[in-house]
Amino acid sequence: MSALPIAIPEMTTAGGFLLVLALMLPFLGVLAALVLGGRNAQRVAFLTIPSGLALVVAIAVEAVQSGGKLVYLLGGWVPPLGVALRADGLSMVMLLATALIILAVAIYARADFPIPAGADEARAPLMFWTLLLAVWGSLNLIFLAGDLFTLYVALELLTFAGVPLVCLDGRPETLQAALRYLVYALIGSVLYMLGAVLLYGAYGTLDIALLAQRVQPEPAAFVAAALMTAGLLAKTALFPLHLWLPPAHAGAPAAASAVLSALVVKGSWFLVVRLWFDVMPGVVTPAAAQLLGALGAAAILFGSIVALRQERLKLLVAYSTLAQIGYLFLMFPLAFDAAGNVLGHGAALTGGLLQAVSHATAKAAMFMAAGLIYAALGHDRIADLAGVGRAMPVTVLAFALAGLALMGVVPSGAYIAKKLMLEAADGSGQWWWTIVLQGGAAFTAGYVVLVLVSVLRRHSGAMPLVKPVSRLSELAALALAMSSLLLALAALGPVPGHLVSNLLAPKELGALLAVVLGGVLLALGISRRPLLGTERADTGANGGPLRRAALAAGVAFERVDIHARRWPVASMSLLCLALLFAALIVGGR
Amino acid sequence: MNAVTFYGLCGAALVGLGLYGLIVNPQPLRKILSFNLVGSGVFLLFGVVARRGAALGMGGDPVPQALVITGIVVAFSATALAVALLLRLYDASGSASLAPPQPVKPPEA
């Protein structure tokens, strides 16, 4: 208890070595899986993943006992000379969620990537299990690393592990999607690195805690903040930098899509959060945060409408991811109070984190369910899904629950996240984000209703299932969807009671009804095929004027999306966004 | 103009050239090379930072030099992965283009 707490050099805390174990375990698993070969890769994964989950729980317990923060100094060297690993509340939540989702994906993927029966080794299973462990290890590094350069390496590791997951089946389309993903992500990471170099040049350290003390609002920090933010947005695929996401996430095998969509995009999002709230809260401005929020709102609008226009289930889910990424960025403007100060521990930050976790679980479940439907039918054409509801009730239930969780209606984790953000919007007088938050749910309801209606339609005659699906995989998807809903219960502790006092009040039920009704109207208006009819050739020419207008709007959004995903447009957007962020950071103070 | 400013400008020029190439070149291999050009520019800037931050009597700040070596390893791995993907793509499809395989069909109402 010294009088000068700042002068005490940071030390390794009790239990800090657990952080090192959490990093080493997945990568030891990668090495073991590679060395032991194809027949053992799955066994190695099933050995490491549950023990990793136990380890993360141990870290959380240790951190709660020791006051919320664990630190480990590698080799005992103090930053800026050494490198620190740190776990705070933010990293703890993400570590836990990641370990849980990786476990569920592993259980789901047992049937898709089995131990090869006849041969000694099969390429796809060996690579899948190795890369799954690699993704998990890189994410842990992102959540724990204490300096910007280690974070750069972690970000690259995550990309290198994620890109091959896209093209596991080796079809030309997926190879191309993977290459587009890789090259675009590389532009993003090189911009991030350029920002880090500028910060080192100005302040002589890359350690997050030290930088937070030293960073001043001056040109080097402005440029660094703009470059790093824009670069990370390219890796997160926030609209309009999403050229790689739909083909990559829709083309990958279902288990890989679940990992990519639920976890990999969260890695770079987490880094934006670190950067804005931990490294340079004094540099970023409310104006720049408004731009981030506006991009998020545009992502919700475009992602949802284009999702409604899709004919394939997996593409629909991929575009829904695009929309949900938008939600994650609404927390940035809301984290500023009315006076323009960043609130590092406000309702918006808690809400954003809860949103990230509930989206991760729900989206993983949704991709799993979509993958099961694809596997069972041999196709995923939304128009031809009639009868699936009767043939695969568990899968459809998982999809429906995941959809409810994404909508943020009672009583899911996303519901509490939305409440927290609405509270932040009220508190800081930013009413326009209230509209986005409320309206977004109706768009989500739109594409969930679209799928459910076609799945629950009665099928005349016997259902032609090409392949029986594994019951275990169905249950894994269901469990994840349930856990996204149950997050509401888990969050009751830290959440102020007045937010969720009465879930069944007429006002809440009315909001639910409005969201679903809005969704049905949107689906009726924008979807490519009429929602309730069975006539396939109907193109809306004989619909009413409202339907024609909605269709025209849908087509226009789709055109803009195709245009925005062309390479030159997307890369110019990236550079323009970097410039815009710089301008708003300089001009907004 | 002293040496530090000169190398700094060279680094900036490399970044600019590389970004130009990344945006306008349609061939993936050229994009990969452009990425390496940008990377080299960033590493050169890091070298400049090291030189500027050198303490009295030392040739340079050693930390950026260590980081540059790590960065080069990362950029090398990225290039290797990208080229491997490109070769697989060429083998599988007979063309090495990043444009969508069938021209994006215009959305019909």
Side-chain angles (χ1 to χ4, degrees):
Chain A
M1 295 295 114
S2 159
L4 288 172
I6 295 166
I8 302 175
E10 198 173 23
M11 299 213 327
T12 297
T13 56
F17 69 96
L18 287 175
L19 304 183
V20 182
L21 286 184
L23 293 185
M24 283 182 62
L25 188 70
F27 287 115
L28 281 178
V30 170
L31 294 179
L34 274 179
V35 171
L36 296 177
R39 301 198 64 79
N40 295 305
Q42 194 194 90
R43 296 186 188 116
V44 170
F46 274 98
L47 220 63
T48 31
I49 293 173
S51 37
L53 181 60
L55 191 61
V56 172
V57 171
I59 291 177
V61 171
E62 185 73 38
V64 169
Q65 279 172 356
S66 67
K69 199 160 184 181
L70 293 186
V71 180
Y72 185 87
L73 303 180
L74 293 183
W77 296 94
V78 182
L81 205 54
V83 169
L85 300 176
R86 300 192 187 92
D88 54 4
L90 211 60
S91 18
M92 224 79 77
V93 173
M94 297 305 287
L95 278 176
L96 272 172
T98 303
L100 264 177
I101 293 171
I102 293 276
L103 179 63
V105 169
I107 292 173
Y108 172 87
R110 256 174 61 105
D112 285 350
F113 298 100
I115 298 173
D120 271 352
E121 191 165 294
R123 199 176 56 86
L126 173 64
M127 281 302 112
F128 175 79
W129 294 108
T130 320
L131 292 170
L132 183 68
L133 291 173
V135 164
W136 178 36
S138 327
L139 280 165
N140 283 357
L141 185 57
I142 288 184
F143 301 142
L144 293 175
D147 72 294
L148 295 181
F149 195 81
T150 311
L151 283 171
Y152 164 73
V153 176
L155 209 58
E156 291 295 59
L157 276 176
L158 186 61
T159 307
F160 297 166
V163 165
L165 274 179
V166 171
C167 56
L168 271 183
D169 58 5
R171 283 179 296 134
E173 308 92 272
T174 60
L175 285 167
Q176 196 193 50
L179 191 57
R180 275 168 84 91
Y181 177 12
L182 178 61
V183 177
Y184 200 68
L186 286 177
I187 309 182
S189 52
V190 89
L191 290 185
Y192 171 88
M193 169 102 133
L194 188 54
V197 167
L198 289 174
L199 283 181
Y200 187 90
Y203 306 107
T205 181
L206 287 173
D207 185 77
I208 288 178
L210 289 177
L211 268 180
Q213 294 167 16
R214 295 185 190 174
V215 167
Q216 302 293 327
E218 58 187 348
F222 298 155
V223 176
L227 286 173
M228 294 170 101
T229 306
L232 290 171
L233 293 188
K235 287 206 154 195
T236 318
L238 180 62
F239 181 86
L241 311 177
H242 63 290
L243 87 160
W244 56 268
L245 189 142
H249 285 193
S257 304
V259 175
L260 291 168
S261 209
L263 297 173
V264 172
V265 290
K266 303 288 187 308
S268 39
W269 168 80
F270 183 83
L271 221 51
V272 183
V273 175
R274 270 263 181 275
L275 205 61
W276 277 56
F277 296 109
D278 288 346
V279 182
M280 9 202 184
V283 174
V284 293
T285 59
Q290 294 290 332
L291 175 59
L292 263 187
L295 293 176
I300 295 175
L301 193 64
F302 275 84
S304 306
I305 291 183
V306 179
L308 277 170
R309 302 272 312 156
Q310 295 308 313
E311 289 178 282
R312 314 294 292 244
L313 185 56
K314 283 186 82 180
L315 262 173
L316 181 146
V317 183
Y319 270 101
S320 136
T321 297
L322 185 62
Q324 301 295 327
I325 290 171
Y327 270 103
L328 297 179
F329 285 90
L330 293 182
M331 67 183 270
F332 288 89
L334 296 177
F336 286 81
D337 65 10
N341 300 312
V342 189
L343 307 171
H345 299 283
L349 202 56
T350 317
L353 199 59
L354 198 55
Q355 182 89 53
V357 174
S358 62
H359 170 252
T361 40
K363 187 43 65 69
M366 209 177 226
F367 257 121
M368 289 174 175
L372 286 171
I373 293 175
Y374 189 105
L377 296 185
H379 72 81
D380 65 343
R381 291 186 301 275
I382 297 171
D384 301 336
L385 291 184
V388 172
R390 179 157 295 187
M392 314 168 67
V394 182
T395 303
V396 169
L397 182 64
F399 191 95
L401 290 181
L404 273 179
L406 283 183
M407 271 183 240
V409 294
V410 277
S412 59
Y415 166 76
I416 303 206
K418 197 170 99 179
K419 283 277 170 190
L420 282 165
M421 297 222 229
L422 286 174
E423 190 188 48
D426 274 350
S428 56
Q430 304 182 59
W431 52 267
W432 49 96
W433 298 121
T434 311
I435 302 175
V436 177
L437 282 164
Q438 300 283 25
F443 279 108
T444 312
Y447 52 77
V448 174
V449 165
L450 178 70
V451 174
L452 285 183
V453 164
S454 74
V455 162
L456 295 177
R457 210 177 285 152
R458 186 183 294 275
H459 188 270
S460 47
M463 192 66 202
L465 292 189
V466 297
K467 192 180 130 196
V469 296
S470 140
R471 181 44 62 97
L472 200 60
S473 304
E474 285 191 295
L475 289 179
L478 187 62
L480 267 188
M482 292 292 281
S483 63
S484 186
L485 290 175
L486 289 178
L487 270 176
L489 293 183
L492 279 182
V495 168
H498 64 272
L499 285 178
V500 281
S501 51
N502 188 1
L503 289 174
L504 294 176
K507 196 173 148 233
E508 301 294 344
L509 288 179
L512 169 63
L513 211 63
V515 163
V516 174
L517 206 65
V520 171
L521 287 179
L522 280 168
L524 277 174
I526 301 175
S527 71
R528 198 174 282 267
R529 304 189 188 293
L531 192 59
L532 297 170
T534 44
E535 191 53 53
R536 292 195 53 184
D538 187 340
T539 54
N542 49 7
L546 265 177
R547 161 78 171 158
R548 276 202 297 276
L551 264 183
V555 172
F557 273 94
E558 211 176 351
R559 286 231 168 88
V560 173
D561 171 69
I562 288 174
H563 194 65
R565 288 197 294 114
R566 286 173 50 224
W567 185 279
V569 179
S571 38
M572 276 313 285
S573 315
L574 176 55
L575 292 188
C576 291
L577 274 184
L579 285 176
L580 211 53
F581 272 113
L584 289 176
I585 288 175
V586 175
R589 56 187 57 253
Chain B
M1 183 161 55
N2 60 7
V4 168
T5 318
F6 177 69
Y7 281 113
L9 286 176
C10 286
L14 278 176
V15 172
L17 283 172
L19 283 178
Y20 177 79
L22 269 170
I23 295 171
V24 301
N25 271 322
Q27 302 94 329
L29 187 60
R30 294 199 176 199
K31 283 195 203 298
I32 297 170
L33 292 177
S34 304
F35 157 73
N36 276 277
L37 213 55
V38 184
S40 308
V42 174
F43 297 143
L44 189 56
L45 284 179
F46 223 173
V48 171
V49 163
R51 182 88 179 103
R52 231 184 46 181
L56 277 181
M58 278 174 75
D61 178 354
V63 174
Q65 296 176 354
L67 297 186
V68 163
I69 292 173
T70 317
I72 288 175
V73 172
V74 173
F76 170 75
S77 330
T79 311
L81 180 58
V83 171
L85 270 176
L86 183 57
L87 288 175
R88 270 300 297 279
L89 175 64
Y90 184 75
D91 282 348
S93 71
S95 94
S97 150
L98 277 186
Q102 66 275 38
V104 181
K105 61 173 189 286
E108 79 267 8

